[in-house]
Amino acid sequence: MSCINNKHILQINNLSISFTQYEQGLRQIDLQVIRNLNVSVHEGELVAVVGSSGSGKSLLAHAILGILPPNCNASGNIFFEDELLDNARIQELRGKKIVLVPQSVNYLDPLEKIGEQVRKECKEESVRRRQEELFSYYNLQKNTADLYPFELSGGMARRVLLSTAMMENPRLIIADEPTPGLHLEAAKNAMRHFREFADKGNGVLLITHDIELALEVADRIAVFYAGTTVEEAPVADFQSMDTLRHPYTKALWRALPQNGFQPFPGNQPYVKDMPKGCSFGPRCLQFTPECEGDIPEQVIRCGTVRCIHAE
Ligand SMILES: Nc1ncnc2c1ncn2[C@@H]1O[C@H](COP(=O)(O)OP(=O)(O)OP(=O)(O)O)[C@@H](O)[C@H]1O
Ligand SMILES: [Mg+2]
């Protein structure tokens, strides 16, 4: 985006993802779950992607890491440090320069002791020391390394996933809802660690439905609605509704406790019933017939927005 001069770490251009499914026997349908999505992370930036359940946030994370399920089709370009990511390159980078803190604790192998998983079976002393440092940072007792996943509480398992992501020397962390199940202190610790990591010149893409948490730590917020980013805004723009650009972002803002907790009627459309044009159209008070046409992304005041009425 034009107002940020730092180098890109991650750049996603026009990402679309669809699933091929069969309905009533042999009728093949193509379910478009993500469409024309753009997101970027620059050096030193923590970018939060906020959106409600089912809006495509985890698929976005999996697309970056090249771990989408086989029944899906993806198009668009993903660049890491200005290099186009193809299958071969992402395999080299995954788990090393680009790491995932997954949404589900089921990513832990139930048959292997925690310490061995976190150290990726590496026996070197320096690796063991790093693991011990991280466990202490995340308030995990030393003997956690000797436990199996079934012996951990949900919160401990999450802290183990955070430690695993930090083990290598990553350049980009994709954290997919890293805090559910953590008590407030542990969640704040995790956020502090992500913030410090970004401040060293790295990048973090924090995926969350918790906009309040995002506003505390992020530099920029990408607002996701029904499979695309409707707005990307510097965090400072959330201080007032007037500096926000998209009617959905404004509705999220009004629903925050500090802004009156005003609920917004209606639901995000299901992928099979997407309206024509703007996906927010049926809920939008500014709706006009033109909203059923093409909705290009525009740059307004150092942010982007997909709304023809935005100013
Ligand atoms: N393998 C699949 N086959 C078909 N549809 C899928 C598949 N995986 C995900 N979807 C659909 O894609 C959409 C986006 O899913 P995704 O898991 O990315 O949402 P999310 O924003 O991460 O939600 P949550 O906040 O609940 O984690 C959902 O409607 C989901 O049903
Ligand atoms: Mg998810």
Side-chain angles (χ1 to χ4, degrees), residues 44-282:
E45 250 196 332
L46 192 159
V47 176
V49 173
V50 300
S52 50
S53 188
S55 56
K57 303 183 300 297
S58 292
L59 285 176
L60 165 66
H62 296 175
I64 301 166
L65 285 139
I67 52 170
L68 285 169
N71 68 328
C72 92
N73 321 299
S75 64
N77 290 323
I78 303 180
F79 296 88
F80 175 70
E81 302 201 298
D82 297 328
E83 182 188 1
L84 184 66
L85 278 186
D86 58 16
N87 273 343
R89 187 68 184 129
I90 187 63
Q91 275 189 37
E92 289 165 10
L93 296 167
R94 187 167 57 222
K96 298 183 184 89
K97 289 289 152 200
I98 306 181
V99 295
L100 173 71
V101 180
Q103 177 166 16
S104 167
V105 294
N106 297 335
Y107 276 68
L108 292 170
D109 180 347
L111 301 177
E112 193 176 25
K113 283 188 180 172
I114 293 299
E116 280 151 30
Q117 294 192 48
V118 175
R119 296 190 298 268
K120 301 197 178 106
E121 286 144 38
C122 182
K123 303 256 181 287
E124 271 175 45
E125 195 39 45
S126 58
V127 174
R128 179 179 295 276
R129 265 205 310 277
R130 173 92 181 127
Q131 174 247 302
E132 286 174 357
E133 266 167 37
L134 285 163
F135 276 21
S136 140
Y137 185 88
Y138 285 116
N139 230 345
L140 289 162
Q141 286 183 353
K142 223 173 164 183
N143 71 352
T144 310
D146 300 322
L147 302 177
Y148 285 95
F150 77 90
E151 296 175 282
L152 307 182
S153 70
M156 283 166 83
R158 250 177 213 291
R159 285 177 277 148
V160 166
L161 290 174
L162 287 164
S163 310
T164 311
M166 294 295 187
M167 276 300 286
E168 302 269 347
N169 203 6
R171 185 85 172 106
L172 174 68
I173 295 177
I174 319 269
D176 189 1
E177 302 275 7
T179 54
L182 291 184
H183 62 76
L184 190 63
E185 197 48 40
K188 284 199 185 260
N189 250 353
M191 290 304 124
R192 193 164 55 236
H193 213 155
F194 289 146
R195 186 66 260 172
E196 282 169 14
F197 176 79
D199 289 342
K200 286 182 193 147
N202 299 304
V204 179
L205 191 73
L206 169 69
I207 292 174
T208 177
H209 62 267
D210 187 342
I211 187 164
E212 286 181 87
L213 179 87
L215 291 177
E216 275 183 33
V217 287
D219 299 296
R220 276 190 308 130
I221 310 275
V223 180
F224 222 72
Y225 186 78
T228 202
T229 32
V230 292
E231 175 162 355
E232 252 189 298
V235 74
D237 290 358
F238 280 79
Q239 280 166 14
S240 148
M241 196 173 75
D242 300 337
T243 38
L244 295 173
R245 300 157 188 77
H246 196 279
Y248 178 61
T249 318
K250 292 179 193 238
L252 285 179
W253 186 92
R254 283 191 300 266
L256 289 171
Q258 62 270 35
N259 303 327
F261 240 139
Q262 302 163 60
F264 188 66
N267 290 306
Q268 175 177 276
Y270 177 56
V271 273
K272 276 190 187 165
D273 314 306
M274 289 302 278
K276 271 208 292 192
C278 175
S279 53
F280 189 64

Side-chain angles (χ1 to χ4, degrees), residues 11-17 37 74-79 84-85:
Q11 209 177 349
I12 301 176
N13 294 341
N14 257 323
L15 177 71
S16 294
I17 297 178
L37 176 139
S75 64
N77 290 323
I78 303 180
F79 296 88
L84 184 66
L85 278 186

